[in-house]
Amino acid sequence: MWRHFATVIAAYASLAATQTITPRTGWTVTVDSFQTGTGSEAMLDGNTATFWHTQWMPTTAPLPHVVTVDMKKIINVNGLTYLPRQDASSNGNIGQHTIQLSSDGTTFTTVAFGSYLDDKALKTTPFTTTPARYVRLTALTEAGNRGPWTSAAEINILSAATYTKPATSGGIWGPTIDFPIVPAAAAVLEGSGKVLMWSSYKPLDFSGGGGSGTTVTASYDPASRTVSQRIVTNTQHDMFCPGTSLDAQGRIFVTGGNDAPKLSVFDGNNWIAGPNMKIARGYQSSATLSNGNIFTIGGSWSGGKGNKNGEVWNAATNTWSLLPGCPVAPMLTADARGVYRADNHGWLFGWKSGSVFQAGPSKAMNWYTATGTGAQKPAGLRGSDPDAMNGNAVMYDAVAGKILTVGGAPNYQDNDATANARIVSINTPGTAASVASIASMTNRRAFHNSVVLPDGKVLVIGGENLPIPFSDNTAVLTPELFNPATSSFTAGNPMAVPRTYHSWALLLPDATVIAGGGGLCGACATNHPNAQIYTPAYLFNADGSRAARPVINSVSATSVAPGATVTVTTDSAVGSWSMVRFGSGTHSVNTDQRRVPLTVSATSGNSYTLKLPADGGVVIPGSWMLFAISAQGVPSLSKTVMVRVA
């Protein structure tokens, strides 16, 4: 009994103080089915040796199975814990599920859904605080596909002392999405809009994975709200702590990590083994180039320490080549732990003529040329910024070469983060970048993630004031929105789950943002096998109702070259247009995302002719989301446009 409650307390020690275990005195629970001797009362008795089980004889009750807890009064509910049966059997472990709340027992609202891992560990689902009397857990599948059963040893409800209804002006966090893994990396798939995620060779832990040749993945489908799991062994690559890029074909390109020399490529259906890199790496960054090749540099976390100089993958020959003219030394930070940390997580941007701009995290910025034997030139200091490890850099206006940098810390860990914000502007490769200091964020952050939105604003999510891996002790739950028109930040509504070390955030094709992951440390208290979707304020009217969105009816061409014109028709007048490149993220790095505001060259009614930038270094080849934005600032659902190599 006490072991269960101790586990719940440990799991929530690092979360917001408002999330506490709710006393279950007087509660009742009803179920759709039970087997004699394993009744529903076992879920509330505090005894982990007893459990509820659905009927299996004389007939078997079919899925789905429903558990409804009546707490007898309105409580500010913000989480549920589910303990699977603790005996020798796993029959009935819950897989796909939904969690719903109700004040009257009749009308229920979904606050979480997804899929639990098939094991005996406590499952914890935190979600946005909502007043309710009834909590309903519906099991849609059995986690191991062993039969149509459902079982549970204990159900607990987490709650907050107070509740304030979030205003839509601060954006709204949607239901929690549970995963059977802790996703430390993710990418959005063009076409389907699914989110592909992966952990390591184990679903909840990375340690000891080097040489395993295995990666556990999960996929979330926003259309069906389902989560599926897949174990990848054919590429012989543990893809934890990799470099990630989306290539010119829109494929997910994953290098190094626990299996440091490896390359694995996901083509939308299958994982394909690529050629090994010349230099084994982990914690490196990579960037897709204007010519469709991919550059990588750094990465002393694995594969040996130091001398992780640049190399390039050639898309035409599927081979790697060293770039002796691209030394890593100029981009090292002065980290207290040496080169093991100093060459990690570069802020890389593919740019014009096969060049790469490195904006950080070192205070010294650099240009790299990824053609021929390579070259390097300094681009100046990032103003008065110190080294900013585990900070973010986002190209929010590629036409103007504008990059927002935010946060980070002088050392990888155990060093206060900053709230610094800078706008870095680039143009001609090899020339000094210009840097403007702007008003700081409200919160100091490292291990956070930043996402550019269709309107050019940048959403900054999560992080810690004091970066410590596998700790949520100084986690920042309140996001901030950067407005380039005012060079200022405004606070949004807080999320339910800390997003710190090993978290990520990505723009979805419907102009919302998914933020997930954090942890991957085994039996630690800071594993977060879940995500939430944030709906920005631009999708709401002032009264809180949903805003009317423009609709893109047709696009004249969905595969174009830089400089092309595209004719697009809509259902209503459009105020502006933009394209945002599909993103991938891990360890606070997303070198794929960038926004390109589009020029309208002709208009006829609701038909618009759009002009793409002529330089492939501005509009990097690959998959992009095309957005129409109304005069009121409301974005459409996107259409996918593939930009070809010039």
Side-chain angles (χ1 to χ4, degrees), residues 519-608:
L520 196 61
C521 41
C524 66
T526 53
N527 271 348
H528 301 304
N530 49 50
Q532 272 187 291
I533 293 177
Y534 179 83
T535 301
Y538 55 36
L539 291 176
F540 296 98
N541 294 315
D543 63 1
S545 61
R546 285 285 186 151
R549 307 179 71 158
V551 176
I552 298 176
N553 290 327
S554 67
V555 182
S556 63
T558 55
S559 177
V560 298
T565 57
V566 179
T567 299
V568 186
T569 64
T570 61
D571 72 330
S572 56
V574 172
S576 62
W577 295 83
S578 71
M579 295 201 311
V580 180
R581 200 168 185 272
F582 279 81
S584 67
T586 186
H587 293 79
S588 301
V589 176
N590 180 351
T591 65
D592 288 304
Q593 67 170 340
R594 68 175 61 190
R595 172 182 168 271
V596 170
L598 295 175
T599 300
V600 179
S601 60
T603 303
S604 177
N606 290 336
S607 177
Y608 300 84

Side-chain angles (χ1 to χ4, degrees), residues 306-318:
N307 300 311
K308 301 300 180 79
N309 300 323
E311 61 182 297
V312 66
W313 174 78
N314 186 300
T317 62
N318 191 28

Side-chain angles (χ1 to χ4, degrees), residues 29-32 43 52 65-69 135-138 155:
V29 57
T30 58
V31 294
D32 68 300
M43 290 183 282
W52 159 71
H65 295 300
V66 181
V67 176
T68 304
V69 177
V135 180
R136 175 170 290 173
L137 171 62
T138 301
I155 297 289

Side-chain angles (χ1 to χ4, degrees), residues 214-515:
T214 298
T215 300
V216 182
T217 75
S219 179
Y220 166 60
D221 185 350
S224 63
R225 283 190 159 190
T226 56
V227 175
S228 58
Q229 185 175 342
R230 179 178 182 181
I231 298 175
V232 179
T233 59
N234 65 296
T235 64
Q236 289 296 290
H237 186 184
D238 181 345
M239 292 179 264
F240 171 71
C241 286
T244 64
S245 290
L246 300 179
D247 74 1
Q249 300 178 52
R251 303 181 305 173
I252 303 173
F253 191 93
V254 183
T255 55
N258 257 353
D259 285 325
K262 296 285 188 173
L263 165 62
S264 295
V265 180
F266 185 72
D267 67 2
N269 295 300
N270 300 301
W271 284 97
I272 303 163
N276 284 359
M277 293 181 289
K278 299 292 185 180
I279 300 173
R281 307 173 188 269
Y283 275 21
Q284 75 281 10
S285 289
S286 61
T288 303
L289 307 178
S290 60
N291 56 16
N293 296 340
I294 294 178
F295 172 80
T296 188
I297 194 167
S300 288
W301 180 82
S302 62
K305 298 177 184 178
N307 300 311
K308 301 300 180 79
N309 300 323
E311 61 182 297
V312 66
W313 174 78
N314 186 300
T317 62
N318 191 28
T319 57
W320 289 96
S321 299
L322 293 174
L323 297 170
C326 295
V328 73
M331 62 170 278
L332 298 179
T333 67
D335 199 282
R337 294 174 181 248
V339 72
Y340 171 69
R341 293 298 200 193
D343 68 359
N344 298 178
H345 311 321
W347 304 349
L348 304 181
F349 297 89
W351 195 238
K352 302 173 182 179
S353 303
S355 66
V356 177
F357 179 68
Q358 176 252 323
S362 61
K363 60 185 178 182
M365 302 181 294
N366 293 276
W367 286 102
Y368 288 99
T369 300
T371 56
T373 58
Q376 175 271 330
K377 287 186 178 180
L381 298 177
R382 199 173 52 255
S384 60
D385 247 2
D387 292 335
M389 184 59 72
N390 297 307
N392 297 165
V394 180
M395 185 172 279
Y396 64 91
D397 184 344
V399 174
K402 298 287 187 183
I403 299 168
L404 173 71
T405 70
V406 285
N411 292 294
Y412 199 101
Q413 63 186 83
D414 306 315
N415 194 171
D416 285 337
T418 77
N420 292 354
R422 303 286 186 267
I423 295 175
V424 178
S425 301
I426 60 174
N427 193 348
T428 304
T431 61
S434 65
V435 180
S437 297
I438 60 174
S440 298
M441 297 182 292
T442 300
N443 295 282
R444 294 179 287 111
R445 301 176 191 258
F447 298 146
H448 53 297
N449 295 278
S450 298
V451 177
V452 65
L453 304 180
D455 61 0
K457 295 178 180 177
V458 178
L459 183 67
V460 184
I461 296 174
E464 289 182 279
N465 297 150
L466 176 64
I468 299 174
F470 309 120
S471 169
D472 291 334
N473 289 340
T474 62
V476 181
L477 297 178
T478 301
E480 297 183 55
L481 187 65
F482 167 73
N483 185 343
T486 60
S487 294
S488 62
F489 295 85
T490 56
N493 287 313
M495 53 193 175
V497 183
R499 302 295 176 197
T500 56
Y501 190 53
H502 292 163
S503 66
W504 46 268
L506 299 168
L507 181 70
L508 293 176
D510 66 354
T512 63
V513 175
I514 184 169

Side-chain angles (χ1 to χ4, degrees), residues 120-206:
K120 294 186 177 300
L122 179 75
K123 318 297 182 209
T124 300
T125 302
F127 43 79
T128 300
T129 301
T130 305
R133 171 176 167 174
Y134 300 90
V135 180
R136 175 170 290 173
L137 171 62
T138 301
L140 303 174
T141 67
E142 204 268 0
N145 295 315
R146 287 170 291 263
W149 313 298
T150 299
S151 59
E154 291 289 313
I155 297 289
N156 268 281
I157 308 301
L158 304 170
S159 61
T162 60
Y163 168 73
T164 301
K165 184 178 181 179
T168 54
S169 58
I172 297 297
W173 290 97
T176 297
I177 309 166
D178 289 315
F179 302 132
I181 67 171
V182 173
V188 180
L189 303 180
E190 61 92 10
S192 69
K194 293 180 181 179
V195 183
L196 178 66
M197 303 156 284
W198 62 95
S199 55
S200 183
Y201 75 113
K202 293 181 179 179
L204 307 179
D205 194 7
F206 78 93

Side-chain angles (χ1 to χ4, degrees), residues 20-109:
T20 58
I21 304 167
T22 309
R24 300 182 293 184
T25 304
W27 291 9
T28 57
V29 57
T30 58
V31 294
D32 68 300
S33 164
F34 68 92
Q35 182 68 34
T36 302
T38 59
S40 61
E41 67 279 0
M43 290 183 282
L44 302 181
D45 66 4
N47 183 354
T48 62
T50 64
F51 59 90
W52 159 71
H53 196 293
T54 54
Q55 181 177 304
W56 73 83
M57 61 179 301
T59 60
T60 300
L63 287 159
H65 295 300
V66 181
V67 176
T68 304
V69 177
D70 182 357
M71 302 179 292
K72 303 303 180 180
K73 63 179 180 180
I74 299 292
I75 290 172
N76 300 321
V77 181
N78 57 15
L80 175 147
T81 71
Y82 155 65
L83 186 70
R85 61 191 293 180
Q86 298 295 294
D87 64 350
S89 175
S90 295
N91 286 352
N93 285 357
I94 296 174
Q96 299 275 355
H97 60 273
T98 62
I99 299 172
Q100 298 173 301
L101 303 181
S102 174
S103 295
D104 59 10
T106 301
T107 302
F108 283 81
T109 300

